[in-house]
């Protein structure tokens, strides 16, 4: 059986699994779905819907012949702001992703949706970014989902599928439209929609095409929060059997509300497309979302993020001496920002000066580094007759640099977040701080150099010791 033939029920099981935390103190890669569940199931109450969905499927006789039998985990990242985080301090954005593959290198990635609003950490990460993504502001979790896809599925040759529910559906849709050339497919349930008005024509057509399945449960509210002219199926839900469910508007949003599956694993109650009432409501909610996205605070934030994203490209062009390219990027950026926000002449002049300052500093920094390198090569002409190396110290300095790298990475993230808060008028000050940490990749190179040198010297020492021993004997 194969991951490129998953049924609705099997996809539903994987999406349910995406809400399960896995331990961060043991190696998980290479484990089967059964082994993953055996590791994680003891964290659940047996009355929990998630426990029932997963345990009933994995322990059933049908599992032996399912497409999920024999698949193995190839990637798991948990960036939640709690003790389950496995990023070693790299991120606490709230992103969680899983990747599995089968024996034919077909692969599937699942992205977790938003978690409980009762937890302040999730409220700060998931729910604040939900609002931003809804009005078209790029969010960190979307970038992390795309990086996850490339890291764990980019080198696999088989079919590729991304899955998501709720906010996880937004992440899966983002990965889908950003990697159309990979022939990746997408399947989402009750997804928070992408911001339609920033998509290219090709991306819009892809969302309407056969490679993308946008599934909604009847009366689901979250999938209405944006313009969605591409609903593929509307699925019936279980009857509400408690007063809480009757008055809970989000009952139909949860995966546990599904109305069931037939003996082939297809939804037992579904109809093609969206009904007329859903389409009518969608026009109304889409209009409200679009109106919110055109307010000044949102436009200012979009402009600031765009400037933040284009700045490294201007820096790179200037550093390589490509003045015409740097100027073109600067001019086009100012035009775009002017369309996003009403700009007076003073603000336009200040933004123009900011980009010029970026280019000059980048070019000057590269020139300074080149001077240091040439000076260093000249001073290296004299060769010591004897080189004394303390291998233990090499390892010690590598560890110190590793610690510095972690702190620099955290500092970079903090500086990046300031772009969001500074606005266009404060970008110059943030840039000064950003430039001072923009060459932290050299730390990684230095760590690698020290470790490789230490290992090489150790091997040579062992070889020379063996040769000396053979000479004596």
């Amino acid at each position: 059986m194969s991951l490129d033939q998953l049924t609705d029920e099997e996809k539903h099981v994987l999406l349910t699994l995406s809400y399960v935390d896995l331990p961060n103190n043991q190696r998980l890669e290479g484990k089967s779905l059964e082994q993953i569940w055996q590791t994680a199931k003891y964290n659940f109450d047996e009355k929990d819907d998630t426990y029932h969905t997963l345990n009933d499927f994995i322990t059933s006789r049908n599992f032996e012949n399912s497409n999920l039998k024999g698949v193995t985990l190839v990637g798991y990242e948990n960036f939640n702001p709690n003790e389950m985080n496995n990023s070693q301090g790299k991120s606490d954005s709230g992103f969680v992703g899983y990747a599995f593959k089968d024996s034919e290198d077909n692969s599937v990635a699942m992205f977790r949706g938003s978690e409980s609003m009762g937890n302040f950490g999730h409220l700060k990460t998931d729910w604040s970014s939900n609002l931003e993504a809804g009005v078209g502001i790029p969010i960190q979790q979307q970038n992390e989902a795309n990086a996850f896809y490339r890291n764990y599925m980019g080198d696999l040759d088989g079919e590729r599928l991304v899955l998501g529910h709720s906010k996880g559906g937004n992440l899966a849709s983002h990965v889908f439209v950003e990697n159309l050339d990979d022939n990746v497919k997408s399947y989402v349930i009750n997804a928070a929609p992408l911001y339609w008005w920033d998509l290219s024509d090709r991306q819009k057509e892809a969302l309407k095409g056969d490679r993308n399945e946008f599934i909604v449960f009847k009366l689901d509210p979250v999938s209405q929060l944006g313009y969605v002219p591409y609903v593929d199926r509307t699925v019936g839900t279980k009857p509400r059997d408690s007063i809480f469910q009757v008055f809970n508007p989000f009952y139909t949003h949860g995966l546990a509300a599904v109305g069931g599956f037939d003996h082939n694993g297809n939804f037992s109650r579904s109809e093609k497309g969206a009904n007329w009432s859903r389409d009518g409501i969608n026009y109304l909610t889409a209009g409200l979302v679009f109106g919110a996205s055109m307010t000044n605070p949102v436009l200012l934030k979009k402009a600031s993020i765009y400037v933040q994203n284009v700045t490294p490209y201007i820096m790179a062009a200037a550093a390589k001496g490509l003045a015409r390219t740097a100027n073109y990027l600067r001019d086009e950026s100012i035009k775009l920002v002017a369309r996003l926000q009403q700009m007076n002449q003073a603000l336009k002049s200040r933004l123009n000066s900011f980009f010029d300052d970026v280019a000059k500093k980048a070019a000057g920094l590269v020139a300074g580094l080149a001077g240091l390198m040439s000076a260093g090569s000249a001073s290296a002409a004299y060769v010591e007759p004897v080189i004394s190396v303390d291998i233990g110290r090499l390892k010690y300095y590598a560890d110190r640099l590793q610690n510095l790298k972690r702190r620099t990475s955290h500092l970079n993230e903090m500086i990046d977040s300031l772009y969001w808060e500074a606005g266009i008028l404060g970008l110059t000050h943030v840039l000064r701080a950003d430039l001072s940490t923009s060459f932290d990749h050299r730390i990684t190179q230095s760590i690698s150099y020290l470790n490789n040198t230490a290992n090489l010297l150790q091997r040579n020492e062992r070889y020379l010791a063996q040769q000396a021993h053979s000479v004596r004997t």
Side-chain angles (χ1 to χ4, degrees):
M1 306 303 281
S2 174
L3 282 174
D4 64 345
Q5 301 172 16
L6 292 176
T7 65
D8 290 323
E9 184 177 17
E10 290 164 345
K11 293 169 184 173
H12 182 268
V13 165
L14 289 177
L15 286 174
T16 303
L17 181 66
S18 72
Y19 287 91
V20 174
D21 283 333
L22 304 183
N24 57 9
N25 58 356
Q26 59 181 275
R27 182 176 176 79
L28 300 170
E29 287 76 8
K31 289 191 174 184
S32 66
L33 189 62
E34 307 99 293
Q35 292 171 321
I36 293 292
W37 178 235
Q38 286 299 320
T39 300
K41 71 177 184 178
Y42 299 105
N43 296 324
F44 286 88
D45 187 324
E46 292 187 8
K47 297 179 181 179
D48 190 275
D49 289 327
T50 297
Y51 181 92
H52 272 298
T53 298
L54 294 172
N55 200 63
D56 291 354
F57 182 84
I58 293 174
T59 59
S60 69
R61 233 182 295 178
N62 292 336
F63 179 72
E64 295 301 315
N65 297 317
S66 77
N67 292 304
L68 297 180
K69 178 67 176 178
V71 303
T72 55
L73 187 75
V74 293
Y76 169 66
E77 290 182 354
N78 186 329
F79 296 169
N80 265 327
N82 56 33
E83 68 279 1
M84 304 307 293
N85 188 300
N86 69 353
S87 72
Q88 286 79 48
K90 185 175 77 171
S91 175
D92 60 358
S93 68
F95 167 78
V96 183
Y98 310 68
F100 286 89
K101 77 178 186 86
D102 61 21
S103 59
E104 300 172 354
D105 264 4
N106 300 308
S107 56
V108 58
M110 309 99 71
F111 303 115
R112 183 181 298 183
S114 301
E115 301 188 67
S116 171
M117 290 181 69
N119 182 304
F120 178 75
H122 296 318
L123 187 64
K124 186 178 72 169
T125 55
D126 274 342
W127 293 91
S128 62
S129 59
N130 284 349
L131 297 174
E132 293 173 338
V135 294
I137 296 174
I139 60 173
Q140 183 176 343
Q141 286 195 36
Q142 289 174 335
N143 295 333
E144 290 170 339
N146 207 33
F148 181 90
Y149 164 79
R150 290 176 179 171
N151 289 340
Y152 296 108
M153 298 170 68
D155 294 331
L156 299 177
D157 296 327
E159 298 285 335
R160 303 175 188 181
L161 174 68
V162 288
L163 306 177
H165 164 255
S166 190
K167 183 184 194 166
N170 179 279
L171 302 182
S173 298
H174 175 79
V175 170
F176 170 67
V177 300
E178 290 296 318
N179 296 278
L180 293 177
D181 290 337
D182 289 358
N183 203 30
V184 63
K185 295 179 181 178
S186 171
Y187 179 102
V188 298
I189 294 179
N190 295 342
L194 293 176
Y195 184 75
W196 178 259
W197 299 275
D198 279 349
L199 297 173
S200 68
D201 290 342
R202 184 189 180 204
Q203 290 172 331
K204 291 175 180 177
E205 289 304 312
L207 288 173
K208 296 177 182 179
D210 295 337
R211 288 164 52 192
N212 177 54
E213 278 198 89
F214 196 94
I215 312 296
V216 299
F217 290 177
K218 283 185 178 178
L219 302 181
D220 168 60
V222 173
S223 57
Q224 289 276 31
L225 300 178
Y227 185 49
V228 188
Y230 48 89
V231 172
D232 290 285
R233 283 182 285 169
T234 302
V235 176
T237 58
K238 293 186 296 187
R240 306 180 194 229
D241 56 9
S242 71
I243 193 69
F244 172 75
Q245 291 179 355
V246 169
F247 289 100
N248 180 9
F250 288 95
Y251 167 73
T252 56
H253 181 63
L255 290 168
V258 66
F261 305 92
D262 62 22
H263 66 280
N264 291 320
N266 302 314
F267 290 117
S268 58
R269 299 166 56 198
S270 70
E271 56 191 46
K272 288 187 177 181
N275 56 40
W276 64 268
S277 61
R278 178 190 162 86
D279 283 342
I281 294 173
N282 188 239
Y283 283 119
L284 175 62
T285 57
L288 294 174
V289 169
F290 181 75
S293 71
M294 291 294 106
T295 58
N296 281 335
V298 174
L299 293 176
L300 176 61
K301 198 159 195 177
K302 285 185 177 182
S304 298
I305 293 171
Y306 178 79
V307 171
Q308 175 192 351
N309 291 337
V310 79
T311 295
Y313 294 98
I314 294 177
M315 291 173 63
K320 294 176 182 178
L322 304 175
R324 182 176 296 179
T325 302
N327 291 336
Y328 174 78
L329 289 172
R330 178 199 63 193
D331 295 341
E332 292 301 309
S333 298
I334 292 173
K335 290 178 185 177
L336 179 60
V337 171
R339 287 199 296 269
L340 286 174
Q341 186 185 22
Q342 293 293 329
M343 293 178 65
N344 56 36
Q345 193 59 38
L347 180 56
K348 186 174 181 180
S349 176
R350 186 159 185 176
L351 186 59
N352 196 36
S353 298
F354 165 76
F355 283 131
D356 285 343
D357 194 33
V358 166
K360 289 176 183 176
K361 287 181 178 179
L365 189 55
V366 170
L369 289 173
L372 288 173
M373 292 174 65
S374 62
S377 61
S379 62
Y382 175 73
V383 180
E384 290 282 350
V386 177
I387 300 177
S388 177
V389 179
D390 186 337
I391 295 176
R393 296 297 289 179
L394 290 178
K395 296 284 189 182
Y396 167 76
Y397 288 127
D399 289 340
R400 291 286 299 273
L401 283 175
Q402 189 68 46
N403 184 45
L404 178 61
K405 177 188 173 185
R406 282 193 293 269
R407 286 185 291 170
T408 303
S409 177
H410 179 62
L411 181 61
N412 269 329
E413 289 181 5
M414 293 174 66
I415 292 173
D416 287 344
S417 69
L418 290 178
Y419 280 103
W420 293 60
E421 301 177 19
I424 292 177
L425 297 179
L427 284 173
T428 303
H429 305 293
V430 181
L431 175 67
R432 291 196 185 102
D434 207 357
L435 281 174
S436 65
T437 59
S438 61
F439 291 91
D440 63 313
H441 64 279
R442 294 185 181 275
I443 299 176
T444 304
Q445 295 173 347
S446 299
I447 293 170
S448 177
Y449 171 77
L450 290 172
N451 284 324
N452 290 339
T453 301
N455 293 334
L456 180 62
L457 288 171
Q458 283 180 325
R459 286 200 301 270
N460 287 338
E461 280 187 346
R462 286 194 296 269
Y463 173 77
L464 291 173
Q466 291 170 357
Q467 293 297 314
H469 178 73
S470 63
V471 169
R472 292 193 191 98
T473 56

